[in-house]
Amino acid sequence: MDYQNTLKYLYESMPMFQQIGGKAYKPGLETTHKLDEHFGYPHQQFKTIHIAGTNGKGSCSHTIAAVLQSAGYRVGLFTSPHLVDFRERIRINGEMIPEEYVVNFVADHRSFFEPLHPSFFELTTAMAFRYFADQKVDVAVIEVGMGGRLDCTNIIQPDLCIITNIGFDHMQYLGDTLPKIAKEKAGIIKEGVPVVIGRAKGHVKRVFTIKGKKVNAPVIYAQSIAPYNCMDWLSYSQSQELRERLTNIQQTLYESVEDKDENFEQNFRELCLFLNPADSMHALDKILDKRKDAIRITNGMFPCGLFMELSGIYQFENCLTILTALEELERIGYRILPKDYLNGFSDVCQLTGLMGRWQKVYSYPDIICDTGHNVDGIKYICEQLDFYQQTLKQQLHFVFGMVNDKDISSVLKLLPKNAIYYFTKASVKRALPENELLKQAEEAGLTGTAYPTVVDAVQAAKKNCLPKDLIFVGGSSFIVADLLANRDTLDLH
């Protein structure tokens, strides 16, 4: 079989949650252990970092991988779901697994795994671990598929565990309360392995504290570093203005130490050298070159700024989680320099291939997409869209679709009433029909029209809006996937 036929075989033969939802969910690790044994326990041949959580797993996974890659490590990255190409799930230093490897893996081992009837995700996980071992990665960042305790990635013994946050998603599998969901995700915490928790309070925090004590695992809460980090959001024009100010600061500092005696005001000289903004300026330039907005983090290590190219305001929380995790990795022996932070944060999309996180795909009108798909994710998206409307005075056109196993009514209640809606459905079996979504949306006080495909909806939005307007595309990872897969058809380049 060639690559396309191999994918067709995988999609049609293995139960795939991305396509059919609950029928593909296969809790438990029995099949995973059998696959692991067959492939020679590959995950034992490299270091790992394990990441769970309701939202933010992808942003944290990719940014940590980008920083480690910048530090000179050979980094494997396993994430899900993919948006356009299956191979997005399995990368090394940003490069997708070769098509030939996927084809040969299936052909060579099909006779073994077919009788096991593994799920799509179980087999994909085994493929990733074997590929990372074959390619001799130094470390692999492994993202949990769902939950944690019974997820098939949970056979690894990582250097660090990370749990980004706990929210309501996949309740039919993980539990109907936040503490129940937290308990499932806490299942990745291992004996003696430090765990970074992004956001937790009350009963949820208690779940992690108890589990950490039970297995003697240090629990580090990312929010504890919030007082030491100042974060703000910068528009593209604000970043340009900041770049000019940094240039002036750099010139002033150079003039302050130029031709001065080594002993002349030594403390002042050392301070000037410490404040040298050159590296921060170089990082900011990377974001400006892509005409992106940015998040600026200032702290004791980065007085002139650490700049994140992922500019959704929900990244404020992720930044604290990432910084805490990297600090812990340094503590246990990873060698990461400030320049590696600057490079990884400012160029994460190029370094790792990350897509769909407040991604701008077109200008005049601005078209932005984001994969946020549950109440927590949509809440942050709506806050940012409101900020755009209030600040930039843009009319919002919202291309929106969901899958049928989400809390649709709760999400619809969060959406802005003053937007023009284009309700649609993604090209997956789980997609909620557009007319049914329109009916529920009208009951929630939203106004719009239904379109059978994402392409139809985006074309209608482009036709109906002014160049100064904003088109947002989201509601589901699969809506974003259909957008990105049809960029040529929609002329989004």
Side-chain angles (χ1 to χ4, degrees):
M1 292 188 291
D2 61 13
Y3 177 64
Q4 292 303 324
N5 282 321
T6 298
L7 289 187
K8 183 178 179 182
Y9 164 78
L10 289 174
Y11 294 158
E12 294 178 353
S13 303
M14 311 292 158
M16 185 181 180
F17 189 90
Q18 185 167 346
Q19 289 287 338
I20 63 175
K23 293 179 181 178
Y25 182 52
K26 192 177 176 185
L29 301 176
E30 181 181 353
T31 301
T32 296
H33 283 302
K34 290 178 180 178
L35 289 167
D36 190 44
E37 180 181 11
H38 173 76
F39 290 111
Y41 310 102
H43 61 89
Q44 297 178 9
Q45 299 175 37
F46 48 86
K47 295 177 180 292
T48 55
I49 297 162
H50 206 189
I51 303 184
T54 302
N55 291 305
K57 296 191 299 294
S59 297
C60 290
S61 298
H62 284 78
T63 305
I64 290 169
V67 172
L68 292 175
Q69 185 177 329
S70 299
Y73 291 94
R74 184 167 172 78
V75 184
L77 180 61
F78 179 55
T79 60
S80 60
H82 64 271
L83 293 178
V84 179
D85 188 334
F86 163 81
R87 298 181 301 135
E88 295 166 29
R89 295 168 177 257
I90 306 170
R91 296 177 182 267
I92 296 176
N93 282 10
E95 295 294 324
M96 295 188 291
I97 183 173
E99 292 183 359
E100 183 181 13
Y101 191 97
V102 177
V103 171
N104 291 339
F105 179 90
V106 172
D108 293 345
H109 302 286
R110 182 173 172 178
S111 61
F112 170 78
F113 64 70
E114 277 188 347
L116 290 178
H117 301 291
S119 71
F120 176 86
F121 191 70
E122 285 173 328
L123 189 61
T124 300
T125 302
M127 183 189 302
F129 290 174
R130 186 62 262 168
Y131 178 63
F132 293 155
D134 288 344
Q135 297 300 310
K136 296 180 171 54
V137 300
D138 299 312
V139 58
V141 180
I142 306 296
E143 182 185 304
V144 166
M146 184 196 300
R149 181 175 65 93
L150 299 176
D151 188 80
C152 62
T153 64
N154 204 28
I155 61 173
I156 63 177
Q157 185 67 23
D159 287 344
L160 178 68
C161 297
I162 301 167
I163 302 174
T164 58
N165 51 50
I166 302 298
F168 287 109
D169 202 6
H170 302 300
M171 287 93 79
Q172 63 270 49
Y173 314 111
L174 306 180
D176 57 0
T177 69
L178 292 181
K180 287 180 181 178
I181 296 171
K183 188 173 181 180
E184 288 298 311
K185 295 184 187 295
I188 72 167
I189 301 175
K190 305 295 194 304
E191 180 74 35
V193 177
V195 55
V196 169
I197 309 295
R199 168 169 45 93
K201 60 182 179 180
H203 294 301
V204 168
K205 188 172 183 179
R206 187 168 179 268
V207 168
F208 297 133
T209 301
I210 290 173
K211 179 60 183 288
K213 288 180 178 178
K214 183 177 180 180
V215 299
N216 195 33
V219 181
I220 306 104
Y221 291 98
Q223 291 295 326
S224 65
I225 72 166
Y228 308 102
N229 291 271
C230 178
M231 288 185 281
D232 57 340
W233 181 87
L234 301 174
S235 67
Y236 174 70
S237 60
Q238 288 172 323
S239 295
Q240 287 179 306
E241 293 170 3
L242 175 60
R243 179 62 171 80
E244 291 181 12
R245 293 201 301 274
L246 289 175
T247 299
N248 292 335
I249 291 171
Q250 183 184 50
Q251 184 60 37
T252 301
L253 291 174
Y254 282 169
E255 291 173 356
S256 297
V257 298
E258 192 176 35
D259 298 326
K260 294 292 191 299
D261 184 270
E262 284 291 333
N263 296 319
F264 180 76
E265 297 182 2
Q266 184 64 25
N267 290 340
F268 180 69
R269 183 185 184 89
E270 289 177 358
L271 177 63
C272 290
L273 293 172
F274 171 73
L275 291 174
N276 186 356
D279 288 340
S280 290
M281 291 164 60
H282 180 62
L284 184 56
D285 283 342
K286 290 182 179 180
I287 299 175
L288 287 170
D289 286 346
K290 291 173 273 194
R291 301 188 65 81
K292 287 187 173 183
D293 305 326
I295 289 174
R296 175 177 58 177
I297 307 152
T298 51
N299 54 32
M301 185 184 295
F302 300 102
C304 294
L306 171 64
F307 299 98
M308 165 75 96
E309 76 162 318
L310 306 179
S311 60
I313 59 175
Y314 55 83
Q315 299 294 351
F316 283 23
E317 180 180 298
N318 290 335
C319 284
L320 293 177
T321 305
I322 295 163
L323 289 171
T324 305
L326 291 170
E327 182 178 307
E328 188 61 23
L329 288 174
E330 287 188 72
R331 190 192 67 77
I332 63 178
Y334 284 70
R335 187 175 184 274
I336 310 170
L337 301 177
K339 65 178 180 62
D340 305 323
Y341 283 74
L342 287 161
N343 191 56
F345 273 67
S346 65
D347 207 19
V348 58
C349 295
Q350 180 66 34
L351 289 170
T352 67
L354 178 63
M355 297 184 291
R357 272 60 172 190
W358 205 258
Q359 181 179 353
K360 185 176 181 180
V361 297
Y362 196 74
S363 297
Y364 308 111
D366 290 341
I367 301 179
I368 293 173
C369 62
D370 193 278
T371 56
H373 58 270
N374 52 39
V375 169
D376 268 9
I378 295 293
K379 179 181 69 175
Y380 282 115
I381 286 171
C382 290
E383 287 179 11
Q384 185 138 4
L385 290 172
D386 181 65
F387 174 80
Y388 270 56
Q389 285 186 292
Q390 296 297 325
T391 304
L392 304 178
K393 309 301 181 184
Q394 292 177 302
Q395 171 64 53
L396 173 60
H397 299 254
F398 209 130
V399 175
F400 186 76
M402 295 189 72
V403 291
N404 56 23
D405 55 2
K406 298 298 179 184
D407 186 0
I408 295 165
S409 62
S410 294
V411 168
L412 291 173
K413 290 175 184 177
L414 295 172
L415 299 182
K417 301 290 194 294
N418 59 349
I420 300 170
Y421 285 90
Y422 306 77
F423 298 106
T424 187
K425 70 174 185 296
S427 55
V428 295
K429 294 178 181 178
R430 292 165 59 201
L432 183 70
E434 69 277 12
N435 289 316
E436 186 176 336
L437 179 59
L438 172 61
K439 180 180 178 182
Q440 293 189 42
E442 288 176 339
E443 292 172 356
L446 305 177
T447 302
T449 308
Y451 297 87
T453 70
V454 173
V455 169
D456 291 331
V458 173
Q459 286 176 334
K462 287 178 70 177
K463 182 178 179 180
N464 292 346
C465 72
L466 299 173
K468 66 178 183 179
D469 289 348
L470 169 66
I471 300 173
F472 179 82
V473 183
S476 164
S477 296
F478 310 117
I479 295 292
V480 174
D482 282 0
L483 172 75
L484 297 177
N486 289 281
R487 292 184 73 164
D488 288 341
T489 301
L490 292 166
D491 193 25
L492 301 181
H493 294 286

